[in-house]
Amino acid sequence: MTETQHDVRSLLAPLTAGALKSATRVWMAPLTRSRSRQPGDIPWELNAEYYAQRADPARGAAVIVSEATQISQQGKGYAFTPGVYSPEQVEGWKLVTNAVHEQGGLIVAQLWHVGRISHTALQPNGGKPVAPSAIRANSHTYVDDSMGRKPVSEPRALELDEIPGVIDQYRHAAQAAKDAGFDGIEIHGANGYLLQQFLRRSTNKRTDAYGGSLENRARLGIEVTRATLDVWGADRVGYRISPLGEGMDDPDDHPSETYGYVSTELGKLGLGFLHVVEQFGDAARTPETEPVLATIRQAFRESGGGAYIANGGYDGPTAAARIADDKADAVAFGKAFISNPDLADRFRRGADLAEWDRGTFYGGGAEGYTTYPALS
Ligand code: 8OZ
């Protein structure tokens, strides 16, 4: 056994994450690729082929988290991302889930509401995107091919009596994901979208039951999660958080307190997994961020939650070390899975990883999507 092969053994061991029997600790992170069929944001054969290439749990991902998928038109913020709410989208996703299951794989749907990260051109009747408060983000989005990259629109604050309707959008999408044959769901509570906008003090200035105290700011994410449990059972539901700083919002002012609380509440619901974006871009995990992550892991585990899935900047050896050190149960790889459909196999063999081409991350067709080969 070579040194590299020895190093990655912890990464290739099986794991139980709630009801998900994960063949290894190698998960595929949600990746926006903006290639759904238009009109209607519908998954199709090309998407099925892409996911199937990565779905053999022995060679590729043990569990695939789907690309972020809007739960309604209101929840849409970018051109060409798929939805999971219309009957046509459910039929399209069946192509994907069947193709993944034929490879023996597992796939969970990531449920996404963008909140204020949207544009009037994408919203129902050209209306304003919705948010906890009417504060515009310093961010851009892609509206369509002809209009290109645009600053996001100014949002309007959700009325208190609209919030049950938002929760219903999640419930409906959770059922649609079940009808489409997914193995579970992940609620997107990260990266500056709606649920994080509610949680973060800088984007939530509400004075009702959904603003102010930490308990109030966390309320929507918890209520949304609870609504999906009736559909799925907690052991097939996960939740994604990004506790550390990132581009779209100001960093959380007290991340250990904020995310310790959220992780405890999610753990109490008995969720199958918590998916943590531990770092953004190439910024390293630092001595300052380690206690935040340790607090989250402990809070989720001690309150009854399942697996801790780490994400952000890992390679095979660093992921394996993280698991061997008991700081994570599995690691979700993003960009590495774009260019290495057989990522787990390459880890096992100690093979080099193929480089990804950023120019084909978003939009377009097969090129840079289904064209990366596995090793023979
Ligand atoms: C990249 C481009 C567009 C959206 C996220 C859903 O950051 C995304 C996303 C990523 O969670």
Side-chain angles (χ1 to χ4, degrees):
M1 188 178 277
T2 69
E3 197 54 37
T4 313
Q5 283 167 323
H6 177 78
D7 280 344
V8 298
R9 265 188 302 184
S10 57
L11 192 52
L12 298 172
L15 168 73
T16 300
L20 302 174
K21 303 270 178 264
S22 180
T24 72
R25 314 301 180 97
V26 178
W27 286 33
M28 179 168 154
L31 292 163
T32 291
R33 306 303 308 276
S34 311
R35 284 166 166 89
S36 68
R37 201 181 74 209
Q38 301 304 316
D41 306 331
I42 300 167
W44 60 300
E45 284 81 358
L46 180 67
N47 309 133
E49 183 186 349
Y50 159 78
Y51 281 109
Q53 287 174 339
R54 290 155 180 77
D56 174 349
R59 302 190 67 203
V63 176
I64 295 171
V65 182
S66 83
E67 64 206 275
T69 299
Q70 58 262 11
I71 59 170
S72 62
Q73 194 187 340
Q74 185 191 76
K76 175 176 174 170
Y78 303 81
F80 309 121
T81 56
V84 63
Y85 55 92
S86 77
E88 295 77 16
Q89 291 160 352
V90 169
E91 290 309 307
W93 279 117
K94 283 181 186 170
L95 299 175
V96 173
T97 60
N98 285 336
V100 167
H101 293 154
E102 271 169 31
Q103 299 298 317
L106 295 171
I107 182 166
V108 302
Q110 199 199 44
L111 303 190
W112 187 33
H113 190 308
V114 297
R116 67 181 188 152
I117 309 299
S118 187
H119 191 279
T120 53
L122 300 170
Q123 287 292 306
N125 308 313
K128 289 183 173 183
V130 300
S133 301
I135 304 169
R136 186 171 174 159
N138 179 21
S139 183
H140 288 76
T141 185
Y142 285 88
V143 176
D144 67 29
D145 278 342
S146 58
M147 292 171 76
R149 193 165 177 264
K150 289 257 193 190
V152 297
S153 302
E154 181 172 303
R156 67 174 181 84
L158 280 163
E159 300 290 342
L160 183 59
D161 66 9
E162 291 180 285
I163 291 197
V166 172
I167 296 170
D168 277 340
Q169 292 172 26
Y170 281 93
R171 190 184 287 112
H172 173 79
Q175 183 63 53
K178 192 162 199 192
D179 296 342
F182 281 97
D183 299 291
I185 56 168
E186 172 176 290
I187 295 163
H188 194 344
N191 298 355
Y193 298 109
L194 182 72
L195 299 178
Q196 184 178 298
Q197 290 158 29
F198 268 83
L199 184 60
R200 205 149 284 189
R201 212 183 282 281
S202 59
T203 45
N204 181 346
K205 304 294 179 191
R206 301 179 74 91
T207 54
D208 60 16
Y210 293 89
S213 67
L214 172 55
E215 192 184 353
N216 282 358
R217 285 179 283 120
R219 189 181 307 282
L220 184 61
I222 306 299
E223 289 185 354
V224 157
T225 306
R226 206 178 263 127
T228 67
L229 302 189
D230 304 338
V231 177
W232 277 102
D235 57 1
R236 289 185 181 271
V237 174
Y239 197 98
R240 195 170 207 231
I241 57 174
S242 50
L244 303 169
E246 85 271 5
M248 219 113 66
D249 303 333
D250 295 333
D252 192 277
D253 42 10
H254 298 92
S256 286
E257 187 197 349
T258 303
Y259 287 92
Y261 174 77
V262 169
S263 303
T264 296
E265 293 305 304
L266 294 173
K268 283 199 245 171
L269 296 176
L271 287 207
F273 65 94
L274 182 68
H275 189 173
V276 184
V277 183
E278 294 182 340
Q279 70 168 43
F280 288 84
D282 297 326
R285 271 163 288 276
T286 66
E288 289 73 45
T289 60
E290 284 295 329
V292 178
L293 302 177
T295 298
I296 290 167
R297 175 153 169 74
Q298 187 178 10
F300 188 61
R301 181 147 67 177
E302 291 186 352
S303 60
Y308 177 108
I309 316 300
N311 166 254
Y314 285 101
D315 61 17
T318 55
R322 198 77 177 164
I323 292 164
D325 290 349
D326 195 26
K327 290 184 172 155
D329 299 305
V331 172
F333 297 88
K335 292 188 287 292
F337 256 118
I338 290 181
S339 50
N340 299 275
D342 54 344
L343 186 62
D345 196 38
R346 292 186 195 227
F347 288 153
R348 182 178 291 110
R349 292 157 69 161
D352 289 341
L353 301 189
E355 286 295 315
W356 50 79
D357 169 21
R358 285 179 191 276
T360 50
F361 277 4
Y362 308 114
E367 184 58 35
Y369 187 55
T370 52
T371 52
Y372 291 103
L375 296 177
S376 52

